[in-house]
Amino acid sequence: MNLRRAGWRNSSSMKTVLLPVKDFQHAKQRLASALDAETRANLARAMLSDVLDALTRAQVPDSVVVFTASSEVGQMARSCGFDVVMESSVAGHSAAVNLMVSELSSHSSQILSIAGDLPKLRSEEVDLVLNTSAAPITVLPSRDGTGTNGILFVPPARIEMEYGESSFNRHMTKASRAGHRADVMKVPGIEFDIDTPEDLEAFLENPRTDGATWRYLMTRK
């Protein structure tokens, strides 16, 4: 039985991946000094394609839930056989994760929330996190160690997520204050996002050449 296609409400023991995604037209504002609006939107679209491809190929997740206000994102996710929850009121990434973790906790044995802008993500990395994380909370930091690109909850353990500058330390502190043991797992494909011109340059210097992000960037040369 393919639980990805059967729906995310069917089991209390599912390993669930949560993917909150904003509208492409409002994505990647921190790249405005390097890329125009159309290019930023296309880059966000390509990176999401790479993430969806990795999740499609992953063997361990029972359910992938995409949370978005964008009909285009919803269509992309449904074409992969994933469940889509349409966001009725856009309130930011933190609010999106907090809302959906609350909704999914009673139906999931694990909830892995990851970002949609991970152009180097591999399916085996998704499987690794879900198979090896043992703590109630596992935080997956960004490449520089200050941000949070992913988090895994083993319900009922959870914290209120608060993304933004220095979110990694903030989330570790919240877990400690809530009495939850929190592990840190550094996963190359989850660490690497493209948010800034420096990130873009780093990707161009050491790309994943078999993905949609690289193919799109090569069309601009």
Side-chain angles (χ1 to χ4, degrees):
M1 182 178 184
N2 189 334
L3 289 172
R4 292 179 185 172
R5 296 180 184 276
W8 55 275
R9 298 182 185 276
N10 292 340
S11 173
S12 60
S13 60
M14 290 198 300
K15 295 186 175 186
T16 302
V17 176
L18 169 62
L19 186 64
V21 184
K22 66 171 63 176
D23 188 284
F24 297 132
Q25 302 307 317
H26 299 96
K28 300 296 145 195
Q29 297 296 320
R30 291 167 66 189
L31 285 166
S33 63
L35 303 174
D36 61 33
E38 181 180 2
T39 303
R40 295 197 306 272
N42 286 334
L43 176 61
R45 187 177 288 110
M47 288 193 288
L48 178 61
S49 294
D50 284 331
V51 172
L52 292 175
D53 180 67
L55 293 175
T56 299
R57 297 173 186 273
Q59 298 299 306
V60 175
D62 298 306
S63 177
V64 176
V65 179
V66 177
F67 186 57
T68 185
S70 167
S71 58
E72 181 183 358
V73 171
Q75 184 176 5
M76 291 174 67
R78 289 189 188 96
S79 72
C80 297
F82 298 150
D83 296 298
V84 176
V85 178
M86 296 305 296
E87 189 174 8
S88 58
S89 177
V90 179
H93 189 70
S94 300
V97 173
N98 291 330
L99 173 65
M100 288 307 298
V101 168
S102 178
E103 290 289 326
L104 293 166
S105 287
S106 63
H107 311 291
S108 305
S109 59
Q110 292 179 306
I111 303 168
L112 170 62
S113 179
I114 58 172
D117 58 350
L118 308 176
K120 293 188 176 185
L121 182 67
R122 300 283 187 179
S123 59
E124 55 267 30
E125 293 176 319
V126 177
D127 291 339
L128 174 71
V129 174
L130 289 168
N131 271 336
T132 62
S133 295
I137 297 174
T138 302
V139 183
L140 299 116
S142 59
R143 188 164 49 107
D144 65 3
T146 65
T148 306
N149 283 2
I151 189 157
L152 185 141
F153 296 111
V154 178
R158 61 169 296 195
I159 56 172
E160 288 292 303
M161 300 301 289
E162 187 181 346
Y163 292 92
E165 188 175 352
S166 301
S167 67
F168 172 77
N169 287 336
R170 187 159 54 248
H171 293 146
M172 293 296 291
T173 299
K174 285 189 174 195
S176 177
R177 288 176 177 171
H180 298 307
R181 180 169 69 88
D183 284 349
V184 178
M185 183 178 291
K186 295 183 178 181
V187 181
I190 295 177
E191 287 183 323
F192 195 101
D193 56 7
I194 299 180
D195 273 332
T196 67
E198 292 75 20
D199 295 333
L200 180 60
E201 185 63 28
F203 181 79
L204 292 171
E205 290 176 356
N206 183 25
R208 173 188 164 185
T209 58
D210 61 346
T213 302
W214 175 251
R215 290 194 296 271
Y216 170 67
L217 290 171
M218 290 302 94
T219 67
R220 299 184 61 251
K221 287 189 173 293

